Amino acid sequence: MSADSFFWIVAAIATFLVGASKGGLPGIGILAVPILSQAISPVMAAGLLLPLYIVSDVYGLWLYRKNYDLGIIKLMVAASCIGIGIGWATAHYNSDELVKLLVGVIGIWYTAD
């Protein structure tokens, strides 16, 4: 199997997992980045899947636009901005191996939870 075909197979599996998490299997989408990290660097995997996460989240928000708690949304936006800022500020200091380890540990932790 060539590297290109391996990438596309793993990318299809990761995409399926993101879709399945939005379609009724919550939590399974967290495995998409670790699985895609088997074919490319974890930073590239997260960056590649980010648009898919954004589009699916915007669609989910639109579907549930009448059922929400503004306090929870404010908390989630604030926490997301802090996490994105920390990730942006430290991304170039970390090796791919450290990022793979962190993504794997977080993925296993969320899946176990």
Side-chain angles (χ1 to χ4, degrees), residues 9 13 21 28 36 54-55 57 63 67 77-78 83 105 110-111 113:
I9 290 169
I13 292 168
S21 73
I28 196 102
L36 191 55
I54 291 171
V55 168
D57 285 346
L63 286 177
N67 303 321
V77 167
V105 167
Y110 277 118
T111 304
D113 186 39

Side-chain angles (χ1 to χ4, degrees), residues 18-81:
V18 172
S21 73
K22 301 301 178 183
L25 289 172
I28 196 102
I30 194 73
L31 296 174
V33 173
I35 288 175
L36 191 55
S37 294
Q38 301 305 309
I40 59 176
S41 95
V43 175
M44 287 181 61
L48 186 64
L49 288 173
L50 185 60
L52 184 59
Y53 282 122
I54 291 171
V55 168
S56 61
D57 285 346
V58 167
Y59 182 70
L61 286 171
W62 181 78
L63 286 177
Y64 291 99
R65 65 190 175 277
K66 296 180 182 176
N67 303 321
Y68 67 91
D69 183 353
L70 189 58
I72 292 175
I73 291 177
K74 287 179 181 179
L75 179 67
M76 288 174 56
V77 167
S80 296
C81 288

Side-chain angles (χ1 to χ4, degrees), residues 82-95:
I82 291 169
I84 291 167
I86 291 170
W88 171 80
T90 61
H92 62 283
Y93 294 116
N94 299 321
S95 67

